[in-house]
Amino acid sequence: MVRLLMILSTKLNLHSAQANITAAFVHAHLKSTKTVYIHQPPGFHHPGNYVLKLKCSLYGMQQSPKYFFNYLSTRLQKQGLRQSDFDPCLFIGKKVIAVTYVDDLLFYACDNNDINQLIAALCADDILIRREGTAEGFLGVDVSGTYATTGRTPTITLTQKGLTSRIIEALGLCTSFTTKLDTPAELTPLPKDSNGKPTSGTFNYAAVVGMLLYLSGHSRPDIAFAVHQCARCTFAPTSLHEQALMRIGRYLKGTIEQGLIMTPSDILTVDCYPDADFAGLYGHEDPQDPHCARSRTGYVINVFGCPVLWRSKLQTEIALSTMEAEYIALSQSCKDFIPIMDLVGELSKALNLSPDKVGHMHVKIHEDNVSALTLAGLEPRHMAPPSKHYAIKYHWFREHVIARKIKLVKIATTDQLGDLFTKGLPHKTFSHLRSLLMG
């Protein structure tokens, strides 16, 4: 969502602002049907056996996030912003668009005064909100770039050098003698290694994985596959998994200056690049464990030629062939792809993106497996008999292909961006796909 709005703001020269709400959860009032009592807090004592009845939610209560979101959304709607039909955290007004992320908000508008007026109105409506500059630095991501008014090609660069440095420091790789690597993952997959050597304990495995997940999900899609391999073993890591984290750290140390460079195209395109690695763990884990036969799904979704969402994950069931694994990946990617299409359409309408500015929306799914491409392109009434066992769960998206005018196109394996998210790649292949994806 945020990356999508950054792309649109760059093309349309929108003003941005981020804001923070102080003591957010305390704003919300408890429902009259919900009664909560607490002990008298330290420093406050009323003689006798008394407890306090809460009127507002507190941090630590299970219901507090929901109560606060309802409180905030109600007040945003009072100011003329309607909640998006496709993302509950997106609020669209005639002049201002707002994105909420717990107690952090991001505003976009053509006129900076409109943002100031909205923030002032929220303050007047009993919300302790303060402006904290523009979108640069939102949620710990450093944003820089050029806009269309500069006369140069508009670009956006997302980096997280501070977080990357903390990861390198946590792994103990700060010395100048650390060997830098060209890829974040080995060519062979990372198994569970149930009987492997225990971890050395030189660093907090779960903490490093958490930082890497945040990094890979915001500005470094090139490490998404490697990080997910390590993350699936967070609760039972071994020395082998520590070595895999160290490899990611060495790769990051050699690429610490890199980030996600997005250069929006002139034409409104929405592209999906799904891929799969068929039973990649088989032969590397215990053959008695059914998880070793699972395939991996990887995909990236681009808008205006810029990546806005990417995934790397094991499939939830066992595919019986390469075609089936690819088809499952294609179907799973559409669960994100179709809502993003709807979201782009909604934002385009809200921002008055007329066809003469960006052209009509061009929607494509790029698949490198001919069999999966053929099966996906068949009309819904023509089902292939061998696909009957997974027809109900994975044929659902085919009715959208014709209705939404989605083009299914063949792409060369060497240019399949989804390949970055399914397996470890040789340096030459990895560098080529990384440059296509990240600029």
Side-chain angles (χ1 to χ4, degrees):
M1 164 58 67
V2 175
R3 281 185 291 269
L4 177 57
L5 282 171
M6 286 181 177
I7 294 168
L8 292 172
S9 70
T10 302
K11 290 190 66 66
L12 301 175
N13 303 315
L14 299 179
H15 293 273
S16 66
Q18 59 174 304
N20 179 265
I21 299 177
T22 304
F25 288 176
V26 183
H27 284 72
H29 298 280
L30 295 181
K31 294 182 179 179
S32 57
T33 56
K34 187 71 175 179
T35 304
V36 179
Y37 297 96
I38 63 172
H39 293 289
Q40 297 183 45
F44 177 89
H45 180 69
H46 190 283
N49 190 21
Y50 289 98
V51 293
L52 302 180
K53 180 181 178 180
L54 281 183
K55 293 184 178 180
C56 298
S57 62
L58 291 178
Y59 284 86
M61 290 178 56
Q62 185 178 8
Q63 311 96 321
S64 293
K66 182 178 185 296
Y67 288 156
F68 168 69
F69 181 75
N70 291 339
Y71 178 90
L72 178 61
S73 61
T74 299
R75 277 147 182 78
L76 286 171
Q77 291 175 44
K78 282 174 59 178
Q79 302 303 324
L81 281 74
R82 67 170 182 84
Q83 199 167 19
S84 168
D85 296 327
F86 308 104
D87 191 327
C89 296
L90 174 66
F91 295 84
I92 302 173
K94 293 182 179 179
K95 297 181 178 180
V96 182
I97 292 177
V99 179
T100 64
Y101 193 94
V102 192
D103 59 351
D104 292 299
L105 288 86
L106 196 58
F107 300 99
Y108 285 96
C110 293
D111 190 341
N112 196 44
N113 291 327
D114 293 329
I115 298 177
N116 291 332
Q117 291 174 9
L118 175 59
I119 293 177
L122 292 174
C123 286
D125 202 6
D126 297 329
I127 295 182
L128 297 177
I129 184 173
R130 67 180 187 276
R131 181 165 177 166
E132 297 183 337
T134 59
E136 287 79 2
F138 185 65
L139 299 179
V141 180
D142 297 321
V143 184
S144 62
T146 59
Y147 290 83
T149 53
T150 61
R152 294 181 293 171
T153 302
T155 61
I156 312 165
T157 303
L158 307 181
T159 57
Q160 291 173 279
K161 296 179 184 178
L163 178 58
T164 305
S165 298
R166 291 200 300 273
I167 292 171
I168 294 171
E169 182 180 357
L171 291 171
L173 300 175
C174 297
T175 64
S176 58
F177 302 102
T178 301
T179 303
K180 301 173 184 178
L181 298 176
D182 296 323
T183 60
E186 297 277 0
L187 296 179
T188 56
L190 182 66
K192 288 183 179 179
D193 195 31
S194 302
N195 300 319
K197 296 180 181 179
T199 57
S200 63
T202 54
F203 59 85
N204 188 322
Y205 187 93
V208 173
V209 167
M211 289 189 287
L212 285 169
L213 285 171
Y214 194 82
L215 179 64
S216 66
H218 287 79
S219 63
R220 296 298 297 264
D222 52 331
I223 64 171
F225 164 72
V227 172
H228 186 270
Q229 282 197 125
C230 297
R232 67 185 288 259
C233 303
T234 300
F235 295 102
T238 65
S239 177
L240 183 64
H241 305 127
E242 278 190 334
Q243 294 173 24
L245 278 186
M246 296 290 282
R247 181 183 179 93
I248 298 174
R250 292 189 177 98
Y251 168 74
L252 289 175
K253 186 167 185 179
T255 58
I256 192 171
E257 298 294 328
Q258 291 189 6
L260 181 59
I261 302 174
M262 300 187 291
T263 306
S265 61
D266 295 329
I267 301 175
L268 177 53
T269 58
V270 185
D271 299 282
C272 182
Y273 297 85
D275 197 25
D277 181 31
F278 174 57
L281 288 170
Y282 192 78
H284 299 277
E285 290 189 351
D286 181 4
Q288 304 303 321
D289 185 353
H291 287 284
C292 75
R294 297 190 188 279
S295 303
R296 177 174 288 274
T297 288
Y299 57 88
V300 59
I301 298 173
N302 289 359
V303 178
F304 280 108
C306 305
V308 296
L309 185 145
W310 50 85
R311 294 275 189 270
S312 177
K313 57 185 178 182
L314 289 178
Q315 296 179 359
T316 55
E317 58 271 290
I318 298 173
L320 302 181
S321 66
T322 300
M323 186 278 289
E324 185 176 336
E326 293 275 359
Y327 191 78
I328 290 173
L330 175 59
S331 177
Q332 288 179 336
S333 67
C334 285
K335 293 179 182 179
D336 285 323
F337 182 59
I338 291 173
I340 285 180
M341 285 177 55
D342 293 330
L343 193 59
V344 170
E346 184 179 42
L347 287 172
S348 298
K349 184 178 180 181
L351 296 170
N352 296 319
L353 280 178
S354 56
D356 59 324
K357 288 184 178 180
V358 295
H360 295 283
M361 187 188 301
H362 300 270
V363 185
K364 295 180 182 180
I365 299 178
H366 303 262
E367 175 60 59
D368 62 355
N369 184 276
V370 176
S371 299
L373 195 64
T374 301
L375 180 59
L378 291 175
E379 294 183 13
R381 62 178 180 272
H382 294 129
M383 300 295 183
S387 67
K388 182 178 180 181
H389 65 284
Y390 57 92
I392 296 177
K393 190 172 183 180
Y394 291 108
H395 286 335
W396 68 270
F397 76 94
R398 287 168 41 162
E399 64 183 23
H400 294 278
V401 172
I402 297 176
R404 294 172 177 267
K405 298 180 180 180
I406 299 174
K407 292 184 179 180
L408 299 167
V409 297
K410 178 72 170 66
I411 188 173
T413 302
T414 53
D415 296 324
Q416 175 56 278
L417 298 179
D419 209 21
L420 270 174
F421 304 93
T422 59
K423 54 185 171 291
L425 300 172
H427 171 56
K428 184 177 180 180
T429 305
F430 177 82
S431 298
H432 170 67
L433 293 177
R434 183 182 62 187
S435 64
L436 291 179
L437 178 66
M438 300 177 58

